[in-house]
Amino acid sequence: MDVAARVGQRVHHQRIAREVNEKQQQRRQKKKEEAAAHTNGWAHAHASIYEQLAALPQVGPPIFPQAWTAGEVTRGDLKALKKAYHRAAVKLHPDKVQSLPLASQALAEELFKVLGDAYAKELRALEGTSGGVSCA
């Protein structure tokens, strides 16, 4: 095989790899958009972090096993809230769900964002009512 043929073959393989990568990116983006739409409705239905933590087991497998729970969280109990949030965040973190199907990965990523926003909002509210609660 001469040099020109090898170069042509390499260019062809690079083009195919680029097309496959673009298709994968398009599928990933579509799944993220679907997950975002689903998660926004879910977050609207479960407005507070407490409701969201209680509703997470309903998401079900493959993200959450049947018997999984974030634990009991009483409103205003910062220690229990922090523990439950971190327990859920570990399950939803993008690095932890890479082995799941693409749709589950996208859903977990969106839930992770929504849960983080609700947690931050609740921490700000608790800090405002108790005069500077530390979340450490």
Side-chain angles (χ1 to χ4, degrees), residues 101-120:
L102 188 58
S104 297
Q105 288 179 24
L107 180 61
E109 183 178 334
E110 292 301 319
L111 286 171
F112 183 75
K113 291 176 189 176
V114 167
L115 203 61
D117 291 342
Y119 179 66

Side-chain angles (χ1 to χ4, degrees), residues 4-68:
R6 281 187 277 167
V7 169
Q9 187 177 23
R10 183 179 310 137
V11 169
H12 176 71
H13 287 293
Q14 289 173 343
R15 186 173 357 112
I16 290 173
R18 190 172 37 253
E19 289 172 2
V20 167
N21 188 27
E22 288 173 1
K23 286 180 183 178
Q24 287 175 339
Q25 291 297 329
Q26 289 172 349
R27 280 196 305 267
R28 182 174 286 117
Q29 185 62 34
K30 182 180 177 187
K31 292 295 181 184
K32 281 186 174 188
E33 290 169 1
E34 291 171 358
H38 176 74
T39 306
N40 287 338
W42 181 85
H44 185 68
H46 308 289
S48 75
I49 183 71
Y50 304 102
E51 293 170 0
Q52 290 177 3
L53 288 169
L56 279 176
Q58 296 170 2
V59 172
I63 299 173
F64 295 104
Q66 293 293 82
W68 187 88

